[in-house]
Amino acid sequence: MKSLDYDLVIIGGGPAGLTAGLYAARARLNVILIEKVVPGGQVLITDWIENYPGFPEGISGPDLIQKMTEQVKKFDLNIESNEVISLDLLSEPVKKIKLSDRTITSHTIIIATGASPKKLGITGEDVFFGKGLSTCATCDAPFFKDKMVAAVGGGDTAVQESIFLTKFVKKVYLIHRRDQLRATKILQERAFANDKIEFIWDSVLTSIDGLANVEKITVKNIKTGDTKELSVDGCFIWTGILPNTNFLKDEVKVDNYGFIIVDSNMQSSVPGVFAAGDVRSTGLRQIVTAAGDAASAVFSAEHYMENRILFKFRGNGQSVKI
């Protein structure tokens, strides 16, 4: 068999990608991690993490990613800043990964590209992004010191980031389309106890307006149909995520939302191609589950290679490439 460039290519450098890189590097696989921007993913813009084991006092998102990155570098993981344009999985078992500057080949792939905030598709959303409209409180909250802002959403991210905003802003209008939050109870308790947060229930954001920057928003009550304008200097939207899978085309099976469907071994519909973290179809998307997915994916990739492609075992239990 013609030698390929890599045993394993990891696409994405968030917690899932970095964990996969750690396990693969320690296993002495010939592995490369491709990350479009910088390692970290959505965790880089997460203010504070309280539910990742081993950090009883909590840890900031950037600090956790720094520790993860330092750890993988100890094992000389090859991390390259590049963009994956497309995959060619038709010539199984050879996998071809088209990058912005070249095409590489691999026996196995782990897709860990994560997900990005979902857009509402309303008037002004594209016009004012970066001009008062944001999806990152950690990045942009200081720009709104002592100002009025709106936040949209009712899950963990929306509530936690709204609480973070109150460290800077005068007031947060938290807009949610239901009459109760979906966030975990402890976050709800903190939000309800915060006198800087005003809840606007059963409502949706319908438009964002202003001149050079955000100046006002329009909110509609979905039960009564009534609309009202709120004068705000900024607006933050956290209403869900969409998988970063545009490069996949129709190469692997995805669910109705575009998330990759995998089995219990993290294998996709294509043998030797695995997915881990927020990009896969799952009921829970957390840093700890992304790390667990990645560990399973690397183990499965090794097993796939040992049994189908790369290795034969000697009597002493050691393995060699053939």
Side-chain angles (χ1 to χ4, degrees), residues 55-115:
F55 298 94
E57 304 302 322
I59 185 171
S60 73
D63 284 345
L64 179 60
I65 291 301
Q66 181 180 353
K67 289 180 180 295
M68 285 184 167
T69 304
E70 290 173 354
Q71 189 173 9
V72 298
K73 286 182 177 179
K74 281 180 55 180
F75 296 97
D76 299 319
L77 175 66
N78 184 9
I79 301 177
E80 179 177 329
S81 179
N82 209 326
E83 182 178 4
V84 174
I85 306 301
S86 63
L87 301 180
D88 178 2
L89 308 177
L90 297 179
S91 53
E92 186 193 346
V94 178
K95 279 76 177 171
K96 297 178 182 178
I97 302 95
K98 183 179 180 182
L99 305 179
S100 60
D101 58 353
R102 69 190 191 282
T103 297
I104 59 177
T105 56
S106 179
H107 292 291
T108 58
I109 297 173
I110 294 177
I111 302 170
T113 46

Side-chain angles (χ1 to χ4, degrees), residues 99 119 139 174 177 186 214 220 222 276 296:
L99 305 179
K119 288 187 175 183
C139 309
L174 184 52
R177 66 181 300 115
I186 190 169
V214 172
K220 177 181 179 180
I222 60 175
S296 295

Side-chain angles (χ1 to χ4, degrees), residues 186-197:
I186 190 169
L187 290 177
Q188 291 191 40
E189 291 168 3
R190 291 174 184 171
F192 292 141
N194 194 316
D195 58 9
K196 283 190 174 182
I197 299 177

